[in-house]
Amino acid sequence: MAEMAEIEAGQKSEIKTDLVDNKEDTIGDIKAEQDTRNVGTLDRKLKSRHVQFMALSGAIGTGLFVGSGQVLSLAGPLSTFLAYLITALNVYCVVHSLGEMAAYLPLPGAVPVYASRYVDEALGFVLGWNYWYQLAIGCPIEVTVSIVVVDYWPNDIPKAALVTIFLLAMVIVNCFPVRIYGEAEFVFGAIKLTTIVGLILLMFIITLGGAPSGDRIGFRYWNDPGPMNEYLETGSLGRFLAFWKVFIQATFSYGGSEMVVIASGETEDPRRNIPKAIRRVFWRIAIFYILALFLVSLCVSSADSRLLDAIKNSDPGAASSPFVIAIENGGIKILPSIINAVVLSSAWSAGNSFFYSSTRVLYAAALDGKAPKFLTYEKWGVPYACVGATTAISLLCYMNLNNQGEEVFFWFSNIAAVSTLVVWTAICVTYLRFFNGLRHNGISRDSLPYKSPFQPALAYFAIFFCVIVALFNGYDAFFPGKFSAKTFVPPYIDIFIFVGLFLGYKLVKRTSFVKLSDMDLWSGKAEIDQLEGTWPERKPRNLLERIWFWIA
């Protein structure tokens, strides 16, 4: 009997030990899953120069080279300059708020992931899909812009062929490992950088009378027809309405400035390279964008007949670019075609950036369980299922081949029109939760890889700015005789879609706002902690390298 009791006691001891071991294994598995959650299996192949030029390319595109002409003609030089400057300050707030989170936890396409962890899973869901659509619809839009730009030169190429060429090139680049995409953006970014520096110098020379025409312009066009134009009303109210109308166009022009953060999950040494790119985004916008706009507003009158005719007749390509008009007015030959070629490369590069970014945002949403699991499929560091999804929506550009299709495409593209402001607002709300979560968990911001300045004031300002502009950007629809589906729906439809999806997900999934005590600030952090310090630190050996390292 004693022997039987000992055997039974031994068996119970073994069962208890097995249960403890199994429990420890389960806890270990859960912890391992949490440590790698949202990390994915993409490769960190983007170098510092790739990231720096992605940051540059995201902010400078057709909005500067062509779109600025419409803004100048509508609002006048001073209104244009001030609105773009104020919007640049808002970009500074958004990018620095997002940059602090991304440097701490650099995950692929991380924006919706942060929203799920720090605010509410419903916000992560709607932000992931809204952000993906905003970026993905940019691909067919930029393909369409590229076709229009080609029409600047007389040609008989079928539009269907051009659509296929431009779209197929984007798909092929994004089917290769991410380093190929990085090299493509580096080349196109270098072209943009060289062009914008050249244009800044050229506009300065023209305004001082250095063009073949010899006309010394100075501030002539700021005095006549004046610094601020009127819109819808006369007097001070009309000038304010024109000034306010610029903000939404300026926001669209700057849209994509945060793309560098989307690539943080594929960036080498992200805790050094991401803050480096973030710090320089605003100054590059200020130097290259604001300075270029200021100088071209000196060289071209907002009432210039060439500018107004080009806009009225929807002239293709660079024909409506204020830079080209300034060059033509100065009597300089050949350069307009060169500028048009740069505009073409900018349009395609912007579409390529939208394509890349949309696939990473969708991949992040799939990893987080907010999109179908098959979208997590990747090979050679490329999320091919997400590439396929973005390619499918990009086929919408073929709708522009007939008039009925153009009308439908107008609605598709404008659904995402105000999405930039909605996304920026969500990013800053997420940052405020991250800020409070750090404080609640006793994590000092001084210990972070990057501590953005003036927080949380920057995030509060950005939320206020984005909400006000989003709510009032369609004000002209409410003026007598102006109300129609085309004037009311595009400015506001995305707000209703965003709120509807958010509330719908909360009701179906019964999610709740994340408490500060339950906030997940650690999942995925172990992976980057292990890699930190494995990348060599680059130190400039001379003045030229110091300049190059600042640029790239």
Side-chain angles (χ1 to χ4, degrees):
M1 292 292 293
E3 290 180 0
M4 288 294 295
E6 288 178 5
I7 292 172
E8 288 179 1
Q11 288 175 339
K12 289 180 181 179
S13 176
E14 287 177 6
I15 291 172
K16 186 175 181 180
T17 302
D18 289 342
L19 288 172
V20 171
D21 290 341
N22 289 336
K23 184 177 180 181
E24 290 177 351
D25 290 342
T26 301
I27 293 172
D29 291 340
I30 293 172
K31 186 175 185 302
E33 189 275 332
Q34 287 180 334
D35 286 343
T36 59
R37 183 184 171 195
N38 304 122
V39 174
T41 52
L42 305 185
D43 296 327
R44 295 189 179 275
K45 295 293 185 181
L46 291 175
K47 297 183 179 295
S48 175
R49 60 187 175 88
H50 298 146
V51 175
Q52 299 301 322
F53 275 79
M54 282 173 64
L56 180 67
S57 295
I60 297 177
T62 53
L64 172 62
F65 295 123
V66 179
S68 55
Q70 284 187 319
V71 175
L72 180 62
S73 67
L74 170 69
L78 180 59
S79 295
T80 300
F81 175 75
L82 290 177
Y84 272 81
L85 180 61
I86 294 169
T87 308
L89 292 174
N90 182 58
V91 173
Y92 177 90
C93 299
V94 174
V95 169
H96 279 263
S97 298
L98 182 55
E100 182 175 315
M101 294 187 289
Y104 174 75
L105 198 62
L107 301 172
V111 175
V113 178
Y114 299 149
S116 291
R117 292 191 185 188
Y118 309 149
V119 185
D120 191 313
E121 285 198 13
L123 183 62
F125 168 79
V126 66
L127 190 56
W129 284 104
N130 190 87
Y131 207 6
W132 171 74
Y133 181 80
Q134 173 206 331
L135 295 168
I137 198 65
C139 303
I141 290 173
E142 294 298 338
V143 168
T144 303
V145 170
S146 299
I147 296 167
V148 174
V149 171
V150 170
D151 286 341
Y152 179 83
W153 300 292
N155 68 85
D156 297 320
I157 305 174
K159 281 186 169 53
L162 289 173
V163 168
T164 303
I165 291 170
F166 291 130
L167 179 57
L168 188 61
M170 290 181 192
V171 175
I172 290 173
V173 168
N174 283 276
C175 281
F176 283 108
V178 69
R179 189 166 181 174
I180 303 299
Y181 164 80
E183 295 296 346
E185 284 307 299
F186 176 75
V187 171
F188 286 112
I191 294 172
K192 289 182 187 179
L193 178 62
T194 304
T195 303
I196 199 65
V197 170
L199 286 174
I200 287 172
L201 294 174
L202 183 58
M203 294 302 108
F204 184 67
I205 291 169
I206 290 175
T207 196
L208 293 178
S213 64
D215 186 16
R216 188 180 180 90
I217 302 172
F219 280 86
R220 180 194 307 164
Y221 299 133
W222 282 55
N223 295 318
D224 183 23
M228 304 181 81
N229 292 348
E230 298 171 346
Y231 179 62
L232 295 179
E233 295 285 343
T234 58
S236 299
L237 177 59
R239 287 189 288 273
F240 174 76
L241 292 176
F243 167 68
W244 187 260
K245 196 66 179 174
V246 179
F247 280 108
I248 197 69
Q249 179 62 42
T251 299
F252 296 153
S253 297
Y254 291 142
S257 300
E258 75 283 6
M259 280 186 188
V260 61
V261 177
I262 294 175
S264 60
E266 296 172 273
T267 302
E268 290 184 356
D269 202 357
R271 288 182 173 163
R272 180 179 300 160
N273 289 327
I274 296 300
K276 182 179 175 183
I278 291 298
R279 290 189 191 100
R280 294 170 187 174
V281 165
F282 173 77
W283 297 111
R284 285 168 176 168
I285 288 176
I287 293 172
F288 297 130
Y289 218 115
I290 306 300
L291 181 58
L293 275 176
F294 171 71
L295 290 172
V296 78
S297 72
L298 295 177
C299 298
V300 179
S301 167
S302 61
D304 187 287
S305 58
R306 291 189 184 186
L307 179 62
L308 296 177
D309 288 343
I311 294 171
K312 181 180 178 181
N313 300 326
S314 300
D315 289 348
S320 59
S321 168
F323 295 97
V324 168
I325 291 168
I327 292 168
E328 291 176 343
N329 289 345
I332 303 173
K333 309 294 183 183
I334 302 174
L335 272 181
S337 282
I338 296 176
I339 300 300
N340 195 66
V342 173
V343 171
L344 177 61
S345 69
S346 296
W348 187 88
S349 172
N352 194 40
S353 295
F354 284 133
F355 197 110
Y356 165 80
S357 301
S358 68
T359 61
R360 271 47 182 186
V361 167
L362 189 57
Y363 180 73
L367 286 177
D368 203 38
K370 305 300 187 297
K373 190 172 182 179
F374 75 88
L375 291 170
T376 61
Y377 174 77
E378 67 83 24
K379 198 170 181 63
W380 304 304
V382 180
Y384 284 110
C386 297
V387 170
T390 297
T391 301
I393 200 171
S394 297
L395 296 176
L396 290 172
C397 57
Y398 284 99
M399 299 177 75
N400 286 287
L401 299 179
N402 62 68
N403 293 332
Q404 291 78 17
E406 283 184 355
E407 186 72 15
V408 177
F409 185 74
F410 168 84
W411 293 104
F412 272 115
S413 60
N414 279 280
I415 287 175
V418 79
S419 180
T420 300
L421 290 167
V422 174
V423 168
W424 285 357
T425 302
I427 286 172
C428 291
V429 168
T430 302
Y431 173 78
L432 290 176
R433 294 289 296 164
F434 173 75
F435 181 91
N436 292 325
L438 292 176
R439 179 182 295 175
H440 179 83
N441 286 279
I443 301 174
S444 171
R445 291 179 64 235
D446 293 326
S447 67
L448 300 182
Y450 174 63
K451 176 185 175 183
S452 57
F454 313 121
Q455 292 291 11
L458 293 187
Y460 280 117
F461 171 81
I463 292 171
F464 175 78
F465 177 90
C466 291
V467 169
I468 294 298
V469 174
L471 291 179
F472 294 100
N473 85 91
Y475 69 85
D476 45 353
F478 301 98
F479 274 74
K482 293 285 186 179
F483 190 87
S484 68
K486 273 197 171 185
T487 57
F488 176 76
V489 174
Y492 297 112
I493 186 63
D494 192 69
I495 297 175
F496 293 114
I497 292 174
F498 192 93
V499 172
L501 288 175
F502 177 80
L503 295 177
Y505 191 89
K506 280 192 72 67
L507 290 173
V508 173
K509 296 290 186 177
R510 299 190 179 278
T511 64
S512 57
F513 289 101
V514 178
K515 297 178 181 178
L516 295 178
S517 56
D518 297 333
M519 195 174 288
D520 182 4
L521 294 166
W522 296 277
S523 295
K525 186 173 178 291
E527 185 263 354
I528 191 60
D529 286 344
Q530 293 170 0
L531 291 174
E532 195 169 4
T534 61
W535 289 286
E537 183 178 354
R538 302 189 310 163
K539 293 183 178 180
R541 295 168 295 182
N542 50 54
L543 180 60
L544 287 177
E545 283 196 355
R546 186 178 296 275
I547 295 172
W548 172 246
F549 285 179
W550 185 86
I551 295 173

